[in-house]
Amino acid sequence: VIWYQGEANGGRAHEYRTLLPTLVKDWRARWGAEFPFLVVQLPGWRASGPDNVEWAELRDAQALAAKTLPKVGLAVTLDVGEEGDVHPKQKKPVGERLALVALATEYGEKVEASGPAFKALAVEGDAAVLTFDHAGGGLACKGDKPTGFAVAGADNVFHPAAAEIKGDTVVVRCPAVPKPAAVRYGWKNWPDANLFNKAGLPAAPFRTDDLPLTTRRKP
């Protein structure tokens, strides 16, 4: 199954953390087979406003399903969106990335099918140092320096942050946050995010915190 859906669920992204895994499990149960389920993570789009985060939270729900369920793959398309068009015209990269995920997930081929995936955060003085799985030959960015990062201290207030690639890590700093506690990347509907690996695949948005999602329903 190739699953490219979720735009209409943006305002209920927290609910999608339950809906998508339930769908996968139900379809597999009905067909009596654990067939692969390949999810296209939503691209960038302005949605309710480019700086809002409901689509970031929906992307996070999609990534969670891929992380927690067997044979569920994720094709990241953050870089092929169009701010003013919910149906972006770049289809070829989506198909190519899905093919890589299928080769790795179902056919066991040793291909790099993922962009950089957040692994761990270490705090060194005023710097947040991020490490990644799936570096794909090394980290890279499209531009002079990595963009799309924000950092927060103990007050949980996120500020745009400068980032640089150092070997297999990304080092994030912000003068307003001398003691970083959490980092987010690409955490907007339409993020200016440009981290890739040298295999040419984009990093999926991520957050290192577990703060309540904005789309979580109030009791």
Side-chain angles (χ1 to χ4, degrees):
V1 172
I2 290 173
W3 187 256
Y4 189 159
Q5 186 276 337
E7 296 89 340
N9 300 78
R12 304 188 306 279
H14 184 270
E15 179 184 71
Y16 206 79
R17 297 165 75 89
T18 302
L19 284 181
L20 182 56
T22 301
L23 174 77
V24 174
K25 294 174 185 177
D26 180 63
W27 282 18
R28 287 174 170 175
R30 289 171 183 266
W31 265 276
E34 191 177 79
F35 48 78
F37 211 98
L38 311 184
V39 177
V40 179
Q41 193 179 50
L42 290 188
W45 186 53
R46 69 175 293 112
S48 63
D51 291 332
N52 292 346
V53 299
E54 65 266 29
W55 270 41
E57 295 182 5
L58 196 288
R59 296 181 194 112
D60 192 56
Q62 294 173 312
L64 179 66
K67 183 178 180 179
T68 56
L69 293 177
K71 296 176 70 171
V72 174
L74 188 72
V76 178
T77 65
L78 194 67
D79 59 316
V80 299
E82 298 177 32
E83 184 178 3
D85 191 346
V86 72
H87 299 294
K89 297 176 178 62
Q90 294 190 70
K91 308 300 186 186
K92 187 177 180 182
V94 181
E96 290 173 339
R97 292 170 191 177
L98 282 165
L100 289 173
V101 175
L103 288 171
T105 301
E106 180 64 10
Y107 298 103
E109 294 200 13
K110 296 187 181 300
V111 296
E112 184 57 85
S114 171
F118 169 71
K119 181 179 180 181
L121 164 68
V123 176
E124 298 179 3
D126 66 343
V129 181
L130 306 168
T131 54
F132 297 85
D133 291 322
H134 299 287
L139 299 176
C141 65
K142 293 191 174 181
D144 295 331
K145 288 190 176 182
T147 56
F149 289 88
V151 63
D155 60 0
N156 295 327
V157 177
F158 283 87
H159 301 266
E164 60 178 324
I165 295 172
K166 286 192 174 183
D168 291 332
T169 69
V170 174
V171 181
V172 181
R173 286 187 172 91
C174 175
V177 187
K179 295 182 179 181
V183 174
R184 291 180 174 181
Y185 169 74
W187 205 258
K188 292 182 179 180
N189 291 344
W190 175 252
D192 177 21
N194 67 353
L195 184 65
F196 285 71
N197 59 22
K198 290 186 178 178
L201 297 172
F206 65 86
R207 61 176 186 151
T208 69
D209 62 274
D210 59 357
L211 296 171
L213 299 180
T214 66
T215 54
R216 185 168 188 164
R217 290 192 176 186
K218 303 298 187 293

